[in-house]
Amino acid sequence: MNKTTISLLLVLATFCELSYADAGDQYLLPKLGYMSVDLNDADPIFSLGVLYGYGITPGFTVEGELNLGLSGGEYDNTVSSGTRLQGEYSIWTLAAYGVYRYPVTNVIFLKGKLGILYENIERDGTQTPAAGTPLPDSRKTTGFGAAGGIGAGFVIKDSTLEFEVTGIDEDIIFYSIGVNYSF
C-alpha cells in the first residue's frame, strides 16, 4: 500500500466508530459497480443499484438488492465452428441475502452474504456462419439461483463505505462500492 492510502486509513480510524445494525435498524445503500461477464468476449456492464437492509441481531441483517445495468454490454466472438457472434446484451438482478458483518477493528469490518437471486439477461445480436449470411440472434434468459459475496467496509461517522464482490452465476461477477445511510 502506498503512504497516501495508509494515511487515509489512519485518519478514518481516528475519527470513526464502528456501529452495527441492531434488531429493527434499517438502512439504504446506493451502489455503483460493474459486472464482469465471461461469455463471448463481452464488455463489462456498468451498473447502478440499491439495497435495503434490516437488522435482525447485532452483525446479522437481511438485505434486498436491485441492480440495473446502465451501459456497456457489447460482445464480439468467433466460436469453434467459425460462427461469429456479435451484438449487445443487458442484465438486471433482484436478490435477497442473509448478511453477516465481522468487526476487524472498531472502524473496519468484513462482510459475507448468501442468498437467492433472480437475473434477467437480454441479448440482441447476430450470428454469422463462417461461409454465410448473418442471422438475427436475440435471446432472453431469466431464472433464479444462489448467489453470494464477500466484502469489506469502513465506518465514516454515521455511514459506512462498503466494497463487495458478488458471484451472480458461473459467468458473471459483480464488483461494487456503496455508501450506507441508516434510518
Side-chain angles (χ1 to χ4, degrees):
M1 294 171 89
N2 63 34
K3 290 178 184 180
T4 304
T5 304
I6 292 171
S7 298
L8 178 61
L9 290 174
L10 288 174
V11 167
L12 287 173
T14 302
F15 293 106
C16 300
E17 177 181 325
L18 186 58
S19 63
Y20 293 103
D22 288 324
D25 287 353
Q26 301 175 64
Y27 56 92
L28 285 176
L29 192 140
K31 59 196 315 187
L32 295 172
Y34 75 95
M35 295 181 189
S36 173
V37 179
D38 185 24
L39 188 64
N40 296 331
D41 290 336
D43 291 340
I45 288 186
F46 294 91
S47 177
L48 177 64
V50 64
L51 69 80
Y52 165 78
Y54 184 81
I56 303 298
T57 65
F60 183 74
T61 60
V62 292
E63 294 180 350
E65 183 175 330
L66 172 67
N67 289 294
L68 305 171
L70 296 179
S71 66
E74 293 184 0
Y75 62 93
D76 189 352
N77 187 24
T78 302
V79 295
S80 61
S81 66
T83 299
R84 184 174 181 188
L85 305 172
Q86 63 186 129
E88 296 180 352
Y89 71 99
S90 64
I91 299 173
W92 65 266
T93 63
L94 182 62
Y97 296 106
V99 178
Y100 184 74
R101 287 173 178 80
Y102 176 79
V104 176
T105 70
N106 63 335
V107 295
I108 299 171
F109 61 88
L110 300 177
K111 176 181 179 179
K113 66 182 186 178
L114 186 61
I116 187 166
L117 177 129
Y118 174 81
E119 69 181 351
N120 181 318
I121 303 171
E122 295 184 32
R123 183 170 88 178
D124 187 23
T126 59
Q127 285 189 35
T128 307
T133 307
L135 303 169
D137 184 29
S138 297
R139 300 178 192 186
K140 181 177 180 177
T141 305
T142 61
F144 286 91
I150 58 171
F154 303 92
V155 177
I156 304 169
K157 293 193 179 188
D158 294 332
S159 300
T160 61
L161 178 64
E162 293 188 0
F163 303 91
E164 287 185 7
V165 178
T166 306
I168 294 177
D169 68 22
E170 67 265 6
D171 296 323
I172 303 171
I173 304 293
F174 181 45
Y175 301 91
S176 64
I177 182 171
V179 178
N180 174 324
Y181 297 99
S182 298
F183 56 95

PDB file of all heavy atoms in Angstrom, residues 138-158:
ATOM      1  N   SER A 138     -31.435 -12.979 -31.105  1.00  0.00           N
ATOM      2  CA  SER A 138     -31.929 -12.295 -29.915  1.00  0.00           C
ATOM      3  C   SER A 138     -32.419 -13.335 -28.931  1.00  0.00           C
ATOM      4  O   SER A 138     -33.186 -14.228 -29.301  1.00  0.00           O
ATOM      5  CB  SER A 138     -33.051 -11.334 -30.268  1.00  0.00           C
ATOM      6  OG  SER A 138     -32.566 -10.330 -31.122  1.00  0.00           O
ATOM      7  N   ARG A 139     -31.989 -13.213 -27.679  1.00  0.00           N
ATOM      8  CA  ARG A 139     -32.377 -14.171 -26.647  1.00  0.00           C
ATOM      9  C   ARG A 139     -32.640 -13.450 -25.339  1.00  0.00           C
ATOM     10  O   ARG A 139     -32.041 -12.422 -25.055  1.00  0.00           O
ATOM     11  CB  ARG A 139     -31.282 -15.203 -26.408  1.00  0.00           C
ATOM     12  CG  ARG A 139     -30.939 -16.018 -27.602  1.00  0.00           C
ATOM     13  CD  ARG A 139     -29.829 -16.970 -27.300  1.00  0.00           C
ATOM     14  NE  ARG A 139     -29.336 -17.550 -28.534  1.00  0.00           N
ATOM     15  CZ  ARG A 139     -28.443 -18.500 -28.597  1.00  0.00           C
ATOM     16  NH1 ARG A 139     -27.923 -18.975 -27.483  1.00  0.00           N
ATOM     17  NH2 ARG A 139     -28.049 -18.975 -29.748  1.00  0.00           N
ATOM     18  N   LYS A 140     -33.513 -14.043 -24.538  1.00  0.00           N
ATOM     19  CA  LYS A 140     -33.777 -13.555 -23.187  1.00  0.00           C
ATOM     20  C   LYS A 140     -33.675 -14.756 -22.259  1.00  0.00           C
ATOM     21  O   LYS A 140     -34.329 -15.766 -22.478  1.00  0.00           O
ATOM     22  CB  LYS A 140     -35.162 -12.929 -23.098  1.00  0.00           C
ATOM     23  CG  LYS A 140     -35.490 -12.379 -21.729  1.00  0.00           C
ATOM     24  CD  LYS A 140     -36.858 -11.706 -21.749  1.00  0.00           C
ATOM     25  CE  LYS A 140     -37.207 -11.145 -20.406  1.00  0.00           C
ATOM     26  NZ  LYS A 140     -38.483 -10.425 -20.421  1.00  0.00           N
ATOM     27  N   THR A 141     -32.837 -14.619 -21.243  1.00  0.00           N
ATOM     28  CA  THR A 141     -32.659 -15.679 -20.262  1.00  0.00           C
ATOM     29  C   THR A 141     -33.018 -15.121 -18.888  1.00  0.00           C
ATOM     30  O   THR A 141     -32.510 -14.066 -18.498  1.00  0.00           O
ATOM     31  CB  THR A 141     -31.197 -16.164 -20.244  1.00  0.00           C
ATOM     32  OG1 THR A 141     -30.818 -16.554 -21.561  1.00  0.00           O
ATOM     33  CG2 THR A 141     -31.012 -17.321 -19.293  1.00  0.00           C
ATOM     34  N   THR A 142     -33.893 -15.809 -18.194  1.00  0.00           N
ATOM     35  CA  THR A 142     -34.256 -15.401 -16.836  1.00  0.00           C
ATOM     36  C   THR A 142     -34.189 -16.621 -15.933  1.00  0.00           C
ATOM     37  O   THR A 142     -34.264 -17.758 -16.402  1.00  0.00           O
ATOM     38  CB  THR A 142     -35.682 -14.810 -16.780  1.00  0.00           C
ATOM     39  OG1 THR A 142     -36.610 -15.809 -17.195  1.00  0.00           O
ATOM     40  CG2 THR A 142     -35.808 -13.597 -17.682  1.00  0.00           C
ATOM     41  N   GLY A 143     -34.072 -16.385 -14.656  1.00  0.00           N
ATOM     42  CA  GLY A 143     -34.092 -17.506 -13.735  1.00  0.00           C
ATOM     43  C   GLY A 143     -33.622 -17.140 -12.352  1.00  0.00           C
ATOM     44  O   GLY A 143     -33.087 -16.059 -12.113  1.00  0.00           O
ATOM     45  N   PHE A 144     -33.861 -18.067 -11.427  1.00  0.00           N
ATOM     46  CA  PHE A 144     -33.447 -17.932 -10.040  1.00  0.00           C
ATOM     47  C   PHE A 144     -32.226 -18.793  -9.794  1.00  0.00           C
ATOM     48  O   PHE A 144     -32.044 -19.826 -10.428  1.00  0.00           O
ATOM     49  CB  PHE A 144     -34.568 -18.399  -9.100  1.00  0.00           C
ATOM     50  CG  PHE A 144     -35.712 -17.445  -9.012  1.00  0.00           C
ATOM     51  CD1 PHE A 144     -36.799 -17.563  -9.866  1.00  0.00           C
ATOM     52  CD2 PHE A 144     -35.707 -16.424  -8.078  1.00  0.00           C
ATOM     53  CE1 PHE A 144     -37.863 -16.691  -9.795  1.00  0.00           C
ATOM     54  CE2 PHE A 144     -36.765 -15.538  -7.993  1.00  0.00           C
ATOM     55  CZ  PHE A 144     -37.840 -15.678  -8.850  1.00  0.00           C
ATOM     56  N   GLY A 145     -31.395 -18.388  -8.846  1.00  0.00           N
ATOM     57  CA  GLY A 145     -30.238 -19.168  -8.471  1.00  0.00           C
ATOM     58  C   GLY A 145     -29.638 -18.649  -7.183  1.00  0.00           C
ATOM     59  O   GLY A 145     -30.013 -17.586  -6.682  1.00  0.00           O
ATOM     60  N   ALA A 146     -28.700 -19.399  -6.672  1.00  0.00           N
ATOM     61  CA  ALA A 146     -27.990 -18.982  -5.466  1.00  0.00           C
ATOM     62  C   ALA A 146     -26.934 -17.948  -5.838  1.00  0.00           C
ATOM     63  O   ALA A 146     -26.366 -17.994  -6.930  1.00  0.00           O
ATOM     64  CB  ALA A 146     -27.327 -20.178  -4.797  1.00  0.00           C
ATOM     65  N   ALA A 147     -26.699 -17.016  -4.938  1.00  0.00           N
ATOM     66  CA  ALA A 147     -25.664 -16.001  -5.142  1.00  0.00           C
ATOM     67  C   ALA A 147     -25.024 -15.702  -3.795  1.00  0.00           C
ATOM     68  O   ALA A 147     -25.653 -15.872  -2.752  1.00  0.00           O
ATOM     69  CB  ALA A 147     -26.261 -14.734  -5.747  1.00  0.00           C
ATOM     70  N   GLY A 148     -23.799 -15.276  -3.824  1.00  0.00           N
ATOM     71  CA  GLY A 148     -23.105 -14.944  -2.591  1.00  0.00           C
ATOM     72  C   GLY A 148     -21.960 -14.009  -2.860  1.00  0.00           C
ATOM     73  O   GLY A 148     -21.551 -13.831  -4.004  1.00  0.00           O
ATOM     74  N   GLY A 149     -21.479 -13.396  -1.804  1.00  0.00           N
ATOM     75  CA  GLY A 149     -20.383 -12.469  -1.985  1.00  0.00           C
ATOM     76  C   GLY A 149     -19.627 -12.197  -0.704  1.00  0.00           C
ATOM     77  O   GLY A 149     -20.022 -12.616   0.381  1.00  0.00           O
ATOM     78  N   ILE A 150     -18.521 -11.497  -0.869  1.00  0.00           N
ATOM     79  CA  ILE A 150     -17.689 -11.062   0.248  1.00  0.00           C
ATOM     80  C   ILE A 150     -17.391  -9.583   0.059  1.00  0.00           C
ATOM     81  O   ILE A 150     -17.493  -9.053  -1.051  1.00  0.00           O
ATOM     82  CB  ILE A 150     -16.383 -11.864   0.360  1.00  0.00           C
ATOM     83  CG1 ILE A 150     -15.566 -11.750  -0.929  1.00  0.00           C
ATOM     84  CG2 ILE A 150     -16.666 -13.307   0.717  1.00  0.00           C
ATOM     85  CD1 ILE A 150     -14.180 -12.332  -0.833  1.00  0.00           C
ATOM     86  N   GLY A 151     -17.052  -8.933   1.151  1.00  0.00           N
ATOM     87  CA  GLY A 151     -16.736  -7.525   1.049  1.00  0.00           C
ATOM     88  C   GLY A 151     -16.053  -7.014   2.284  1.00  0.00           C
ATOM     89  O   GLY A 151     -15.771  -7.766   3.227  1.00  0.00           O
ATOM     90  N   ALA A 152     -15.806  -5.729   2.279  1.00  0.00           N
ATOM     91  CA  ALA A 152     -15.210  -5.039   3.413  1.00  0.00           C
ATOM     92  C   ALA A 152     -15.810  -3.657   3.479  1.00  0.00           C
ATOM     93  O   ALA A 152     -16.313  -3.138   2.483  1.00  0.00           O
ATOM     94  CB  ALA A 152     -13.693  -4.954   3.258  1.00  0.00           C
ATOM     95  N   GLY A 153     -15.762  -3.070   4.661  1.00  0.00           N
ATOM     96  CA  GLY A 153     -16.322  -1.740   4.818  1.00  0.00           C
ATOM     97  C   GLY A 153     -15.582  -0.924   5.840  1.00  0.00           C
ATOM     98  O   GLY A 153     -14.819  -1.449   6.661  1.00  0.00           O
ATOM     99  N   PHE A 154     -15.810   0.391   5.762  1.00  0.00           N
ATOM    100  CA  PHE A 154     -15.231   1.354   6.673  1.00  0.00           C
ATOM    101  C   PHE A 154     -16.354   2.221   7.211  1.00  0.00           C
ATOM    102  O   PHE A 154     -17.186   2.704   6.449  1.00  0.00           O
ATOM    103  CB  PHE A 154     -14.220   2.254   5.961  1.00  0.00           C
ATOM    104  CG  PHE A 154     -13.109   1.500   5.294  1.00  0.00           C
ATOM    105  CD1 PHE A 154     -13.219   1.114   3.967  1.00  0.00           C
ATOM    106  CD2 PHE A 154     -11.963   1.184   5.994  1.00  0.00           C
ATOM    107  CE1 PHE A 154     -12.200   0.421   3.340  1.00  0.00           C
ATOM    108  CE2 PHE A 154     -10.943   0.487   5.380  1.00  0.00           C
ATOM    109  CZ  PHE A 154     -11.052   0.104   4.063  1.00  0.00           C
ATOM    110  N   VAL A 155     -16.377   2.442   8.501  1.00  0.00           N
ATOM    111  CA  VAL A 155     -17.371   3.317   9.104  1.00  0.00           C
ATOM    112  C   VAL A 155     -16.853   4.747   9.049  1.00  0.00           C
ATOM    113  O   VAL A 155     -15.721   5.022   9.444  1.00  0.00           O
ATOM    114  CB  VAL A 155     -17.667   2.906  10.560  1.00  0.00           C
ATOM    115  CG1 VAL A 155     -18.653   3.874  11.195  1.00  0.00           C
ATOM    116  CG2 VAL A 155     -18.195   1.490  10.601  1.00  0.00           C
ATOM    117  N   ILE A 156     -17.688   5.640   8.536  1.00  0.00           N
ATOM    118  CA  ILE A 156     -17.351   7.056   8.440  1.00  0.00           C
ATOM    119  C   ILE A 156     -18.503   7.817   9.079  1.00  0.00           C
ATOM    120  O   ILE A 156     -19.565   7.945   8.490  1.00  0.00           O
ATOM    121  CB  ILE A 156     -17.169   7.492   6.974  1.00  0.00           C
ATOM    122  CG1 ILE A 156     -16.114   6.624   6.299  1.00  0.00           C
ATOM    123  CG2 ILE A 156     -16.808   8.968   6.905  1.00  0.00           C
ATOM    124  CD1 ILE A 156     -16.044   6.784   4.805  1.00  0.00           C
ATOM    125  N   LYS A 157     -18.317   8.252  10.329  1.00  0.00           N
ATOM    126  CA  LYS A 157     -19.354   8.898  11.140  1.00  0.00           C
ATOM    127  C   LYS A 157     -20.569   7.986  11.240  1.00  0.00           C
ATOM    128  O   LYS A 157     -20.463   6.900  11.767  1.00  0.00           O
ATOM    129  CB  LYS A 157     -19.687  10.281  10.598  1.00  0.00           C
ATOM    130  CG  LYS A 157     -18.536  11.244  10.739  1.00  0.00           C
ATOM    131  CD  LYS A 157     -18.968  12.657  10.501  1.00  0.00           C
ATOM    132  CE  LYS A 157     -17.748  13.550  10.686  1.00  0.00           C
ATOM    133  NZ  LYS A 157     -18.067  14.932  10.672  1.00  0.00           N
ATOM    134  N   ASP A 158     -21.738   8.411  10.723  1.00  0.00           N
ATOM    135  CA  ASP A 158     -22.964   7.610  10.832  1.00  0.00           C
ATOM    136  C   ASP A 158     -23.212   6.734   9.611  1.00  0.00           C
ATOM    137  O   ASP A 158     -24.265   6.113   9.497  1.00  0.00           O
ATOM    138  CB  ASP A 158     -24.174   8.525  11.044  1.00  0.00           C
ATOM    139  CG  ASP A 158     -24.102   9.248  12.377  1.00  0.00           C
ATOM    140  OD1 ASP A 158     -23.480   8.688  13.311  1.00  0.00           O
ATOM    141  OD2 ASP A 158     -24.646  10.357  12.479  1.00  0.00           O
TER     142      ASP A 158
END
